[in-house]
Amino acid sequence: MPDPLTEVSMSNPPEINTQSLLDFLTQLLNTPSPTGLAEPAIALTELTLASIPGLKLSRTRKGALVASWSGEREDGPRAVTAHVDTLGAMVREIKSNGRLKLTRIGGFAWNTVEGEGVNVFSSKGRQIRGSILLTKASSHVFGDEVNDLKREDGNIELRLDARTSSEKETRDLGIEVGDFIAFDPRVELTGGFVRSRHLDDKACVAAVVAAVKAIAEAGLKPARTTTLLISNYEEVGHGAAAGIPADVDELVVVDMAAVGEGQNSDEFHASLCVKDSGGPYHHGLSNKLRKLAEKNQIPYKVDTYPYYGSDGEAFWAAGGDVAVALIGPGVDASHSYERTHTEALVATARWLVAYLLDE
Ligand SMILES: [Zn+2]
């Protein structure tokens, strides 16, 4: 006869606290963290994980956050990763009119941030507000040129909310070449949707934290000793190249699923990505995740992403000898003004719970 307690814990996996997931996600989205200046988001995640018993927290020299979680078994250790760094920009040049020429951090098109409010972080610790505009922004001044101008580096500038009309006045504000720029996320929770910039990949960091909390609060530990890596250089391609122990058997990367024409993913499911620009992921681990989703009735889709790379490939390229799979919530208009739904976030977190507890 089966042990009734085991029966209960098998049939009722720990539940995700949706409100707490959304609260943390909102806080994280409102914490600026362009690649290279992701420390505030790393620190916030560290503070949140620090309240969970059983996790041993440390930082890599590159500044990523590592949480080691001892499991029911020491053999066949695993890793899970998600990234807190986001798209952003940097001052490339101070123009003679006092405005700033920019260089992009990460892969995005200028039109996706045209008109957006920003914070400029001076190296001296000062923050100045501003916005991203076309060099010929006003239709009253430039007519059709506003429409026709190519959205490229030379035609985009940052207007500071400060009195400056010369290079010197801008420098006197403490602004210099190399200062970081973060775009306003404009977070809005409406009708179950979460609309914001940078759901890539803060949605997944929140899902990972929610899954870990659910397991810990149920008084459980992962089936295998697990390393959680919150990486800080993913958007430029080398986030998880370091920080994952060399002896892990499996790495589950948690990153957004691409939604749009021709894609199988949507905002109400978690997706398993089986191939992206870097080629196929590990078939065996992907199948294991499919089976877990089916067994636990997790709403999921399987998809391939045509223009996409992940931290799993970064670890593979760095020599990681490990099975890698990729899951994550569907995010509409990725690397633009993004949106997902709570159902996809919870599905992703539940999938992680199932994976972490799977023997
Ligand atoms: Zn991402």
Side-chain angles (χ1 to χ4, degrees):
M1 200 177 137
D3 178 333
L5 276 176
T6 315
E7 276 285 286
V8 168
S9 70
M10 291 294 282
S11 56
N12 294 318
E15 262 182 52
I16 299 302
N17 183 331
T18 306
Q19 193 53 51
S20 138
L21 189 162
L22 292 173
D23 288 347
F24 175 64
L25 175 57
T26 303
Q27 220 186 337
L28 192 60
L29 288 165
N30 282 317
T31 305
S33 57
T35 309
L37 198 70
E39 171 58 26
I42 289 279
L44 175 67
T45 310
E46 185 175 42
L47 192 71
T48 307
L49 289 177
S51 64
I52 302 172
L55 297 183
K56 233 173 66 198
L57 302 178
S58 61
R59 298 284 189 97
T60 66
R61 289 186 285 271
K62 200 160 110 180
L65 176 64
V66 176
S68 307
W69 200 6
S70 104
E72 296 291 348
R73 286 169 59 178
E74 290 295 321
D75 62 312
R78 296 168 176 164
V80 169
T81 189
H83 67 95
V84 285
D85 63 305
T86 71
L87 304 174
M90 193 181 255
V91 178
R92 175 168 152 64
E93 188 187 320
I94 302 172
K95 296 170 70 171
S96 58
N97 63 2
R99 298 187 178 199
L100 308 172
K101 239 187 185 179
L102 306 177
T103 176
R104 279 171 280 192
I105 296 173
F108 64 95
W110 278 124
N111 61 285
T112 60
V113 290
E114 204 177 315
E116 190 58 276
V118 301
N119 278 305
V120 182
F121 296 89
S122 87
S123 57
K124 297 167 185 90
R126 196 167 167 205
Q127 265 186 61
I128 301 182
R129 296 284 296 160
S131 37
I132 292 178
L133 294 166
L134 273 181
T135 48
K136 296 181 177 179
S138 168
S139 56
H140 298 109
V141 179
F142 300 105
D144 285 346
E145 274 193 275
V146 178
N147 204 22
D148 299 341
L149 210 59
K150 191 154 191 235
R151 273 57 179 168
E152 59 190 16
D153 288 8
N155 294 333
I156 299 288
E157 65 185 12
L158 193 156
R159 178 186 66 194
L160 293 162
D161 295 334
R163 286 187 179 236
T164 169
S165 54
S166 72
E167 186 183 335
K168 182 181 179 307
E169 284 174 309
T170 295
R171 284 220 152 85
D172 289 346
L173 293 168
I175 301 290
E176 250 315 330
V177 169
D179 288 350
F180 281 93
I181 289 134
F183 311 135
D184 288 356
R186 282 189 285 130
V187 188
E188 196 171 324
L189 276 64
T190 170
F193 288 100
V194 184
R195 170 154 53 78
S196 176
R197 290 190 186 281
H198 313 320
L199 287 169
D200 174 12
D201 190 29
K202 290 177 173 178
C204 297
V205 174
V208 170
V209 169
V212 172
K213 267 192 177 171
I215 291 172
E217 280 166 11
L220 300 171
K221 4 151 113 177
R224 307 292 179 104
T225 290
T226 303
T227 299
L228 309 170
L229 174 73
I230 306 300
S231 88
N232 58 340
Y233 277 91
E234 192 275 349
E235 289 294 357
V236 294
H238 60 81
I244 292 168
D247 67 341
V248 298
D249 275 1
E250 296 173 348
L251 169 63
V252 171
V253 179
V254 196
D255 209 333
M256 50 136 279
V259 170
E261 201 183 320
Q263 294 303 117
N264 203 28
S265 304
D266 67 33
E267 293 166 89
F268 310 99
H269 291 75
S271 275
L272 171 75
C273 174
V274 290
K275 177 185 177 290
D276 63 20
S277 308
Y281 284 92
H282 189 270
H283 187 55
L285 184 54
S286 295
N287 269 347
K288 182 176 177 172
L289 287 161
R290 271 185 230 244
K291 279 184 197 142
L292 282 171
E294 265 150 37
K295 189 173 144 198
N296 292 278
Q297 286 154 7
I298 290 158
Y300 83 107
K301 303 260 187 183
V302 177
D303 210 349
T304 67
Y305 311 150
Y307 308 105
Y308 192 107
S310 82
D311 252 347
E313 284 145 355
F315 187 54
W316 264 346
D321 177 17
V322 64
V324 178
L326 170 63
I327 62 170
V331 169
D332 187 61
S334 54
H335 282 199
S336 180
Y337 190 29
E338 302 169 343
R339 193 183 71 171
T340 190
H341 193 276
T342 309
E343 285 174 20
L345 297 170
V346 172
T348 305
R350 288 181 54 221
W351 209 347
L352 283 167
V353 167
Y355 172 68
L356 290 166
L357 295 178
D358 182 60
E359 290 173 6

